[in-house]
Amino acid sequence: MADAVSDESFLLAVLNSTPIADDGPADLLADSARSTAYLAAAGGLGSPAELTHVLEARRLLQAVVRGEQTPDVLAPFLQDVLYLPAIRDGRLAWTLSAPPERGLAVRAVLTWAALDASNPGRLRPCANDECHLFLIDHSKAGTGRWCSMAVCGNRIKARRHYQRVRSAREA
């Protein structure tokens, strides 16, 4: 299994593959040829079946993180999944065993579960209502609110400043 940082990056990439573009919602995984190549590069098979499982995991994970569904909806991804122990180089190592076509979907679900257990509430939707992206808040205080301070954070702060200035002029 990949390391925690790459797992988090993969999870965010999957969650954030449905951004809002200038002309409305987009799906970065809609092009099956490009998406299967991306999945192969992420350590998967790059098969159409794998893409189907990742798309379903994305839909459910987005709903769970937004609080629209309970985590129970993720249970089907964990059927027939095992962690197998082994000793390698004098150390205990765990290997994930999952049906190959579900491997990346399982990886995303397990990464979500690990984040939820170790840092509850740190994986969340961007606080900008016009944004559909997610963030993992690694700040010490746990106060991160936007997927990007440069984009969403700046827009919200500029909007608030404009409203304060406008209200002061009208008063």
Coordinates of all heavy atoms in Angstrom, one line a residue, residues 4 15 18 20 32 34 44 46 54 59 67 72 76 80 94 108 114 120 125 127 133 135 137 142 144 154 156 166:
A4 N 1.0 7.3 3.5 CA -0.1 8.1 3.9 C -0.2 9.4 3.1 O -1.3 9.8 2.8 CB -0.1 8.4 5.4
L15 N -11.7 13.2 -4.8 CA -12.8 14.0 -4.3 C -12.9 15.3 -5.1 O -14.0 15.8 -5.3 CB -12.6 14.4 -2.8 CG -12.8 13.3 -1.8 CD1 -12.4 13.7 -0.4 CD2 -14.2 12.8 -1.8
T18 N -14.5 16.9 -9.4 CA -15.7 17.4 -9.9 C -15.8 18.9 -9.5 O -16.7 19.4 -8.8 CB -17.0 16.7 -9.3 OG1 -16.9 16.7 -7.9 CG2 -17.0 15.3 -9.8
I20 N -16.1 23.2 -10.0 CA -16.9 24.1 -10.8 C -16.0 24.9 -11.7 O -15.0 25.5 -11.3 CB -17.6 25.1 -9.8 CG1 -18.5 24.3 -8.8 CG2 -18.4 26.1 -10.6 CD1 -19.7 23.6 -9.5
S32 N -12.9 8.7 -20.4 CA -12.5 7.4 -19.9 C -11.1 7.0 -20.3 O -10.4 6.4 -19.5 CB -13.5 6.3 -20.4 OG -13.5 6.2 -21.8
R34 N -8.5 9.1 -20.7 CA -7.6 9.9 -19.8 C -7.7 9.4 -18.4 O -6.7 9.3 -17.7 CB -8.0 11.3 -19.9 CG -6.9 12.3 -19.6 CD -7.2 13.7 -20.0 NE -7.4 14.4 -18.7 CZ -8.1 15.5 -18.7 NH1 -8.5 16.1 -19.8 NH2 -8.2 16.1 -17.5
G44 N -3.2 1.7 -10.1 CA -4.3 0.8 -10.4 C -4.1 0.0 -11.7 O -3.0 0.1 -12.3
G46 N -6.1 0.6 -14.4 CA -6.4 1.4 -15.5 C -7.5 0.8 -16.4 O -7.6 1.1 -17.5
V54 N -14.2 3.5 -8.9 CA -13.6 4.8 -8.3 C -14.7 5.9 -8.4 O -14.9 6.7 -7.5 CB -12.3 5.2 -9.1 CG1 -11.9 6.6 -8.8 CG2 -11.2 4.3 -8.7
R59 N -18.5 9.5 -5.6 CA -19.8 10.0 -5.3 C -20.2 9.8 -3.9 O -20.7 10.7 -3.2 CB -20.8 9.2 -6.2 CG -22.3 9.7 -6.1 CD -23.2 9.0 -7.0 NE -23.4 7.6 -6.6 CZ -24.2 7.2 -5.6 NH1 -24.9 8.2 -4.9 NH2 -24.4 6.0 -5.2
G67 N -21.7 15.3 4.8 CA -22.7 15.0 5.8 C -24.1 14.7 5.2 O -25.0 14.6 5.9
D72 N -21.9 4.3 6.5 CA -22.4 3.0 6.2 C -22.5 2.7 4.7 O -22.4 1.6 4.3 CB -23.8 2.7 6.8 CG -23.7 2.8 8.4 OD1 -22.6 2.8 8.9 OD2 -24.8 2.9 9.0
P76 N -19.9 -1.5 1.1 CA -19.7 -2.5 0.0 C -18.3 -2.5 -0.5 O -17.9 -3.5 -1.1 CB -20.8 -2.0 -1.0 CG -21.8 -1.4 -0.2 CD -21.1 -0.7 0.9
D80 N -14.6 -8.4 1.0 CA -13.5 -9.2 0.5 C -12.2 -8.5 0.6 O -11.3 -8.7 -0.2 CB -13.8 -9.6 -0.9 CG -15.1 -10.4 -1.1 OD1 -15.3 -11.2 -0.2 OD2 -15.8 -10.2 -2.0
W94 N 2.1 -4.6 6.7 CA 0.8 -5.0 6.3 C 0.6 -4.8 4.9 O 0.9 -3.7 4.3 CB -0.2 -4.2 7.1 CG -0.2 -4.5 8.6 CD1 0.6 -3.9 9.5 CD2 -0.9 -5.5 9.3 NE1 0.4 -4.4 10.8 CE2 -0.6 -5.4 10.6 CE3 -1.9 -6.4 8.9 CZ2 -1.1 -6.3 11.6 CZ3 -2.4 -7.3 9.8 CH2 -2.0 -7.2 11.2
A108 N -9.1 4.7 -1.5 CA -9.7 6.0 -1.2 C -10.6 5.9 0.1 O -10.5 6.7 1.0 CB -10.6 6.5 -2.4
A114 N -9.1 6.4 7.7 CA -7.9 6.7 8.6 C -7.9 8.2 9.0 O -7.6 8.5 10.1 CB -6.6 6.3 7.8
P120 N -10.4 13.7 13.1 CA -11.9 13.9 12.7 C -12.1 15.4 12.4 O -11.6 16.3 13.0 CB -12.6 13.5 14.0 CG -11.6 13.1 15.0 CD -10.2 13.2 14.4
P125 N -15.5 19.9 3.2 CA -15.7 20.7 2.0 C -15.2 22.1 2.2 O -15.1 22.6 3.3 CB -17.3 20.8 1.8 CG -17.8 19.8 2.8 CD -16.7 19.5 3.8
A127 N -15.3 26.0 2.4 CA -16.3 26.9 3.0 C -16.9 27.8 2.0 O -17.9 28.5 2.4 CB -15.7 27.6 4.2
L133 N -15.0 21.8 -4.1 CA -13.8 21.1 -3.7 C -13.7 20.8 -2.2 O -14.5 21.3 -1.4 CB -12.6 21.9 -4.2 CG -12.5 22.2 -5.7 CD1 -11.2 23.0 -6.0 CD2 -12.6 20.9 -6.5
L135 N -10.9 19.9 1.2 CA -9.5 20.1 1.7 C -9.3 19.2 2.9 O -10.2 18.7 3.6 CB -9.4 21.6 2.2 CG -10.2 22.0 3.4 CD1 -9.3 22.7 4.4 CD2 -11.4 22.9 3.0
D137 N -7.4 19.7 6.3 CA -6.8 20.8 7.1 C -5.6 20.2 7.9 O -5.9 19.5 8.9 CB -7.9 21.4 8.0 CG -7.3 22.5 8.8 OD1 -6.2 22.9 8.6 OD2 -8.1 23.0 9.6
G142 N -6.4 23.7 13.3 CA -7.6 23.0 12.6 C -8.6 24.0 12.1 O -9.8 23.7 12.1
G144 N -8.5 25.7 9.0 CA -8.5 25.9 7.6 C -9.9 25.8 7.1 O -10.7 24.9 7.5
N154 N -9.5 34.2 -0.8 CA -9.4 35.6 -1.2 C -10.7 36.1 -1.7 O -11.1 37.2 -1.4 CB -8.3 35.7 -2.4 CG -8.1 37.1 -2.7 OD1 -7.9 37.9 -1.9 ND2 -8.1 37.4 -4.0
I156 N -13.8 35.1 -0.8 CA -14.7 35.4 0.4 C -14.2 36.6 1.1 O -15.1 37.4 1.5 CB -14.7 34.1 1.3 CG1 -15.2 32.9 0.5 CG2 -15.5 34.4 2.5 CD1 -16.7 33.0 0.1
R166 N -19.3 48.9 1.6 CA -20.6 49.4 1.1 C -21.6 49.7 2.2 O -22.3 50.7 2.2 CB -21.2 48.3 0.2 CG -22.5 48.7 -0.5 CD -22.9 47.6 -1.4 NE -24.2 47.8 -1.9 CZ -24.9 47.0 -2.6 NH1 -24.5 45.8 -2.8 NH2 -26.1 47.3 -3.0

